[in-house]
Amino acid sequence: MKLVVRVKLLPTPVQAAALEATLHACNEAATWAAEVAFEKDARRPLTLRKHTYNQIRERWGLGAQAAQHAVKKTCDANTTLRANLRSGRYGRPGSTRHARASGKPVVFRPEAAQPYDDRMLSWQHTENTVSIWTTTGRMKGVKFTGQADQLEVLAAHRQGESDLVCQGGKWFLIATCEIPEATLNARPVGFIGVDLGIENIAATSDGVRHSGRQINRKRANDRRQHTKLQKKNTKSAKRRAKNRAGKEARRNKDINHKISKRIVAEAERTGRGIALEELTGIRERARLRKPQRVTLHSWPFAQLGVFIAYKARRAGVPVVYVDPAYTSQECSQCHHTARNNRPDQARFACRSCGFVEHADHNASHNIRRRGWMAWVCGAQSTAPELTLIA
């Protein structure tokens, strides 16, 4: 199982300047290589290397490995671009957007990520330092930090290349780790149903609602501030909106990590599996008023599902996905399904048996039951191969 660990570098001002110069040189070389690839239609690394390798080393002073990575990065970017063009992400062939994307070479940002292999980067885990190649020479003793559990995973399971990244003036190394999977619990005693919703981000069949007034107030304040900045439409307002968007995304990601950790820990402790909704089309299925639409669209439910899945895979907890159709209208006791079973957003009241419960918990009970049936019928636990530890 692959995980990606991000550690923060703590360079001195001199070291930071050297890292910045290195990133700029590598990305300028990659941009020039992309122009050559566009002109000569050189798609494969070996072909492009014949046209660019020597010039990159002489012109930008890159080492052999850095020059190789610049060429490979260019080829990988072109491969991704062609795949996006084929999939229609840039519109139909002949459209303005498609022509704009396909009619010019790829351009790399000055501070785009640069891959480092073991010849260019070495880790000293006992001292929490790295020795890293730069255009000014090998730089030793660059400090790094991170959470204790992340550093343990990094020291024990790191494999392959690491990426040097600069984000907002801060430096990070992103490393891939190959960790052994836990033995899957093939005989769970039951399942925890998880319902994803508007007022409550996640509600479980154990009666726990993962949300709260404080989070919802912050989300409402974020929407108000975003609307206010959009109306101003000045350069400073756009800059502030961009900064706020990054802050909101980081906070949402942190909340999703905490929610997923609690759900998986409870399932592992009690020997149960986790039943999740299939998220495909979640926004199209929901029929909501305009204010509720904004609330629904503003939360990264897919990210929460990925976090639950990969944490469950690490813990050996089975995960199944069920069709969420009518889970909010079906009674979890007598299974009578009717639209008027839900008189309002928060309350469920069955018109057949009289059962009354919070609507999200009733839906989570139905998801739990469907998850158990899916497991009995042979559903397999699935989780993504690659994710990010923030």
Side-chain angles (χ1 to χ4, degrees), residues 25 45 56 67 123 126 174 235 239 242 248 255 278 285 290 308 350 355:
I56 287 176
W123 300 78
T126 55
I174 301 176
K235 286 186 178 180
R239 184 172 60 251
K242 184 177 180 180
E248 293 165 19
I255 293 172
E278 291 180 352
R285 289 195 304 266
K290 191 171 182 179
I308 292 175
C350 181
F355 175 70

Side-chain angles (χ1 to χ4, degrees), residues 18-147:
L19 293 175
E20 184 177 8
T22 301
L23 269 193
H24 288 186
C26 291
N27 286 304
E28 285 177 11
T31 299
W32 177 79
E35 295 173 358
V36 175
F38 184 78
E39 293 173 1
K40 298 184 179 297
D41 194 26
R43 299 188 176 186
R44 296 182 180 275
L46 181 60
T47 305
L48 183 57
R49 193 177 299 126
K50 293 178 181 178
H51 297 294
T52 59
Y53 177 76
N54 292 329
Q55 293 90 327
I56 287 176
R57 295 205 61 185
E58 294 171 4
R59 184 174 173 182
W60 284 278
L62 302 189
Q65 293 299 112
Q68 298 273 20
H69 284 299
V71 173
K72 186 176 183 300
K73 182 164 70 170
T74 298
C75 293
D76 290 343
N78 286 329
T79 300
T80 302
L81 175 61
R82 289 194 297 271
N84 287 334
L85 290 171
R86 286 195 300 269
S87 66
R89 184 173 182 181
Y90 292 102
R92 296 179 179 178
S95 65
T96 302
R97 190 179 177 203
H98 188 280
R100 187 185 302 119
S102 60
K104 60 182 181 180
V106 175
V107 177
F108 294 92
R109 293 179 294 105
E111 295 183 348
Q114 174 65 19
Y116 276 74
D117 58 27
D118 287 341
R119 295 184 182 182
M120 304 167 62
L121 175 70
S122 60
W123 300 78
Q124 294 79 46
H125 294 286
T126 55
E127 295 86 6
N128 280 5
T129 61
V130 294
S131 172
I132 187 170
W133 172 87
T134 68
T135 52
T136 59
R138 192 83 176 189
M139 194 162 57
K140 299 181 179 180
V142 182
K143 291 285 188 179
F144 69 85
T145 186
Q147 295 183 3

Side-chain angles (χ1 to χ4, degrees), residues 238-387:
K238 291 178 181 178
R239 184 172 60 251
R240 288 180 59 195
K242 184 177 180 180
N243 293 337
R244 286 188 63 87
K247 183 178 180 179
E248 293 165 19
R250 290 190 295 273
R251 184 174 67 241
N252 294 346
K253 188 175 183 179
D254 179 66
I255 293 172
N256 278 343
H257 267 301
K258 291 177 180 177
I259 292 174
S260 59
K261 185 176 181 179
R262 291 169 187 166
I263 292 174
V264 172
E266 181 63 19
E268 183 182 17
R269 185 185 68 83
T270 56
R272 291 180 289 175
I274 300 174
L276 294 174
E277 302 175 70
E278 291 180 352
L279 294 179
T280 305
I282 184 174
R283 291 178 170 85
E284 289 76 11
R285 289 195 304 266
R287 297 179 179 179
L288 305 170
R289 296 188 297 273
K290 191 171 182 179
Q292 292 178 317
R293 292 178 208 154
V294 177
T295 306
L296 178 66
H297 285 259
S298 66
W299 194 262
F301 290 106
Q303 183 189 74
L304 176 59
V306 168
F307 287 173
I308 292 175
Y310 96 79
K311 285 179 170 61
R313 192 167 185 170
R314 289 189 66 182
V317 174
V319 177
V320 296
Y321 297 87
V322 303
D323 183 3
Y326 304 107
T327 52
S328 61
Q329 300 177 15
E330 179 185 354
C331 177
S332 59
Q333 300 298 312
C334 69
H335 308 297
H336 171 69
T337 304
R339 193 170 183 177
N340 59 359
N341 279 352
R342 194 167 176 176
D344 53 54
Q345 192 278 330
R347 190 164 61 96
F348 181 90
C350 181
R351 302 300 179 182
S352 177
C353 68
F355 175 70
V356 177
E357 193 178 29
H358 192 282
D360 292 341
H361 288 314
N362 177 76
S364 67
H365 294 318
N366 291 324
I367 293 171
R368 177 190 61 187
R369 181 178 59 84
R370 294 184 187 186
W372 176 253
M373 294 302 297
W375 181 261
V376 170
C377 293
Q380 297 297 315
S381 178
T382 58
E385 285 291 338
L386 186 65
T387 187

